[in-house]
Amino acid sequence: MKKIAIIGTGYVGLVSGAGLSDFGHQVVCSDIDKNKISMLESGEIPIYEPGLESLVRSNVKEGRLRFSVDPASAIRSSDIIFIAVGTPQGENRKADLSAIKAVAGTIAENLNGYKIVCTKSTVPVGTGKRIQSIIYSKKQQVEFDYVSNPEFLREGASINDFMHPDRIIIGTHNEKVQKIMKDVYRPLYINETPILFTSVETAEMIKYASNAFLALKISYINEIANLCEAVEADVHEVARAMGQDGRISPKFLHPGPGFGGSCFPKDIQALAAMGREQNSPLLTIESAIEANKKQNIRMIDKLKTLVGRELKGLTIAVLGLSFKPETDDVRGAASRLIVPKLLSAGAKVNAYDPIASENFKLHYPEINYFYSWQNAVNESDACMILTEWNEFRCMDLSELKGLMKYPIVLDTKNILSMLNLEKLDFKFDNVGRKPST
Ligand code: NAD
C-alpha cells in the first residue's frame, strides 16, 4: 500500500485517485477548487462519468480515498505525488504550464521527506526537467525522484480505460523508482498490462505523438469523406474496408464535424508549437489543424445549402453539446465553434444535450436550453446533430418530422439512417455520404 496524493481533482485526477484507491492505496485527492472538494466531501461527483460515483463511494467507505482543499497537507502526508492539473492552450498555441509550475512550487515548499513526484498531466517535452529544477531551486536538502506517467484515459469510458489500459508508460530509468511505480500499478501489472519504461522526455513525447496521431487520423478521414461527397462514394464503406486492414485499424475512422474535446485540439497545437520551436516543423500536424478548422466551417456551409438561404432569422435546433457522448465536458466541442457561428449569422439556437447543457450555459447563456430533443426541435427550421448520444441514434424520425417547421436535418455524426430519412422526405445531409435525393 502506498500513500498517494493527487494534485488536481478534475477528470484525470479524480478517476486516477478513485482507481488507485481501488488498487488498495491510501489516496488523497486535492484541488484548489473549494467547491469541487466540498461536493466530493458531501458525496457528490462534480463531473459526469459513467461508473465513477460508485467507485468513489466504495473507496471512500473503505477509508482509502479522501479529499482535501489543501494540496500542501496532501503532499506532506504522502509518499507519491501525482500532478494532474490542467494544461490548457496558452499563448502562441503552446501549453499553458502555469498550474504545473504552481504545483511544483507547492511540492517544493512541502517536501518533508523522500517522495516521488509523478506527472500525469500532458506536458510538453522538457517540462519534467523544469518541474525538477523548480523543486531543486527551492529545496536542495530533501531528496526526491521524478517520473513522467502520462495518462491515456478517454472521458466517457475512463474507468474502464484506467482499469484496463493498453499500456502504462513510466518515464524514469531509475530502477528503485521503476519498482515503486510497478507496485503502484501492481493489479494491472499482474494482469500483464504492458509497462514501458522510458526516459522522462520519451514518455512526454509518447503522449503528444499518440494524441496528435489520432487527431491526424480523424482529419484524414474527414478529408476523405469530403472527397467521397464530391465523387459519390460512401465514406462509411471506405472506412470499414480501410479498417479491416490490420495495419490501419477501424478506430478513429469516423468522419464528422472535426476533432474536438479537452485534449486533441490543445495537444496537437502544443506539439506543432514544439516542432516550430525546435526548428523541426511537423507539416502533417500543421495540415491536420488546418483541415480541422475547415471541416467545422464546412458544417455551417452545409446547413446554409440545406436551408437554401442565409441563416438570419432561422431557428436552428442543436442536438448534442458535449464533445462526445457519455460526458458533460464541452471543452473543444464542435458545439463551441458552431453555436457562435450560428449566433453571429443571426440564427436563434434551441439546444438540447442529455448531460452537458449546464456546462455549455456557462459559455453561452443566451441560447435556449430544453430538457428533451422533442422540445428543442419543436417549430425549428432545421436541426443539427453534433454529438452521437444514443438517444439521438434511435430518435423516432416521424415524430421529429411532425415537430419541426421544416424537415431539414444536418447529421454531422452520420448516426441517422439515410434510408429512413429519405423515406420520410427529409431534406438532409451528413458527412461523406451523398443523399440520393
Ligand atoms: P481538469 O480541468 O478537469 O482538472 C484539472 C484540475 O486541476 C481542476 O480541478 C483545477 O481546479 C485543478 N488545479 C489547477 N491548479 C491547481 C493547483 N495549483 N493545485 C491543485 N489543483 C489545481 O483537467 P483534466 O481534464 O483532468 O486534465 C488534466 C491533465 O490531464 C491535462 O494535462 C490533460 O491534458 C491531461 N489528460 C486529460 C484527459 C481527459 O480526457 N480529460 C486524458 C488524458 C490526459
Side-chain angles (χ1 to χ4, degrees):
M1 187 275 289
K2 307 282 179 210
K3 284 192 200 158
I4 293 175
I6 310 270
I7 314 299
T9 305
Y11 287 85
V12 165
L14 184 55
V15 170
S16 305
L20 292 170
S21 61
D22 208 60
F23 293 168
H25 303 300
Q26 200 67 42
V27 179
V28 51
C29 282
S30 72
D31 203 291
I32 47 170
D33 183 336
K34 292 191 172 68
N35 188 33
K36 207 173 254 188
I37 295 300
S38 74
M39 280 177 87
L40 285 161
E41 280 174 332
S42 63
E44 272 181 81
I45 305 294
I47 53 171
Y48 176 82
E49 185 62 41
L52 185 56
E53 189 170 352
S54 62
L55 193 69
V56 167
R57 194 167 290 165
S58 66
N59 284 290
V60 167
K61 195 165 159 233
E62 294 301 324
R64 289 189 295 255
L65 179 61
R66 64 185 176 89
F67 305 99
S68 167
V69 277
D70 183 9
S73 76
I75 292 162
R76 285 197 298 274
S77 63
S78 303
D79 301 324
I80 304 171
I81 323 295
F82 279 92
I83 304 175
V85 294
T87 48
Q89 191 172 309
E91 271 175 31
N92 299 328
R93 295 177 279 161
K94 290 187 197 172
D96 174 352
L97 297 178
S98 49
I100 292 279
K101 288 185 207 155
V103 172
T106 312
I107 292 173
E109 284 153 16
N110 293 283
L111 213 55
N112 55 349
Y114 173 78
K115 295 183 198 292
I116 290 177
V117 177
C118 174
T119 299
K120 264 214 173 295
S121 302
T122 304
V123 291
V125 181
T127 306
K129 279 212 176 96
R130 286 173 79 181
I131 294 173
Q132 292 177 73
S133 71
I134 290 173
I135 301 175
Y136 277 129
S137 68
K138 295 197 178 185
K139 203 83 159 218
Q140 280 107 6
Q141 62 279 42
V142 184
E143 215 192 309
F144 73 95
D145 282 305
Y146 181 81
V147 188
S148 168
N149 174 217
E151 182 52 57
F152 295 90
L153 60 78
R154 296 160 303 164
E155 287 174 28
S158 65
I159 306 295
N160 188 60
D161 287 350
F162 192 85
M163 298 299 190
H164 306 280
D166 291 333
R167 75 304 202 192
I168 298 164
I169 307 296
I170 305 286
T172 176
H173 286 313
N174 178 324
E175 282 177 22
K176 178 182 89 178
V177 181
Q178 288 180 350
K179 191 177 166 306
I180 295 171
M181 292 306 291
K182 250 182 176 168
D183 284 345
V184 167
Y185 287 107
R186 190 170 160 71
L188 304 182
Y189 172 63
I190 55 179
N191 272 339
E192 297 188 356
T193 301
I195 297 191
L196 271 79
F197 295 107
T198 68
S199 68
V200 169
E201 287 72 21
T202 302
E204 290 168 339
M205 181 55 100
I206 287 169
K207 175 65 190 175
Y208 277 106
S210 304
N211 268 12
F213 181 75
L214 296 174
L216 184 70
K217 203 172 170 190
I218 296 170
S219 271
Y220 178 76
I221 200 66
N222 281 340
E223 291 207 300
I224 293 294
N226 301 343
L227 183 58
C228 280
E229 288 174 10
V231 299
E232 299 195 7
D234 181 326
V235 73
H236 278 204
E237 289 173 17
V238 172
R240 195 177 313 127
M242 282 173 68
Q244 279 161 356
D245 185 328
R247 295 168 301 177
I248 297 175
S249 128
K251 292 184 180 161
F252 289 81
L253 284 182
H254 306 286
F259 60 76
S262 55
C263 293
F264 286 178
K266 72 169 180 75
D267 290 349
I268 198 170
Q269 290 282 8
L271 182 63
M274 252 184 277
R276 288 192 298 271
E277 209 166 69
Q278 297 298 328
N279 211 10
S280 180
L282 295 153
L283 302 183
T284 49
I285 294 302
E286 302 277 8
S287 301
I289 294 169
E290 260 330 284
N292 203 51
K293 267 189 221 152
K294 290 199 175 126
Q295 192 66 5
N296 202 262
I297 295 163
R298 241 179 144 257
M299 298 304 119
I300 297 289
D301 293 341
K302 273 175 177 285
L303 185 66
K304 283 186 192 159
T305 308
L306 271 179
V307 297
R309 50 166 284 198
E310 289 301 313
L311 303 176
K312 193 170 171 38
L314 298 183
T315 300
I316 309 298
V318 169
L319 301 186
L321 300 169
S322 58
F323 83 88
K324 63 190 281 197
E326 299 303 329
T327 182
D328 58 354
D329 198 345
V330 298
R331 289 177 289 181
S335 58
R336 293 281 294 276
L337 300 169
I338 285 172
V339 166
K341 289 192 181 98
L342 294 175
L343 292 175
S344 63
K348 189 175 126 192
V349 176
N350 286 357
Y352 168 68
D353 187 284
I355 297 291
S357 293
E358 289 308 315
N359 280 345
F360 201 77
K361 221 178 259 181
L362 300 174
H363 305 280
Y364 294 98
E366 69 270 42
I367 65 170
N368 304 313
Y369 293 90
F370 293 87
Y371 289 103
S372 70
W373 65 259
Q374 286 92 340
N375 287 335
V377 301
N378 196 28
E379 285 299 303
S380 61
D381 294 286
C383 158
M384 277 182 110
I385 296 177
L386 296 186
T387 316
E388 64 276 35
W389 284 98
N390 276 341
E391 70 172 273
F392 304 149
R393 285 181 197 274
C394 52
M395 267 192 311
D396 179 337
L397 295 180
S398 310
E399 188 184 3
L400 176 65
K401 187 176 176 185
L403 289 166
M404 295 181 74
K405 200 191 289 175
Y406 301 105
I408 298 177
V409 173
L410 175 56
D411 176 10
T412 72
K413 290 290 183 172
N414 294 4
I415 56 173
L416 301 180
S417 152
M418 290 212 297
L419 196 65
N420 292 343
L421 287 163
E422 268 166 17
K423 271 192 206 153
L424 286 164
D425 279 331
F426 269 93
K427 207 169 168 193
F428 71 94
D429 199 359
N430 54 42
V431 184
R433 297 177 306 170
K434 206 157 180 63
S436 57
T437 47

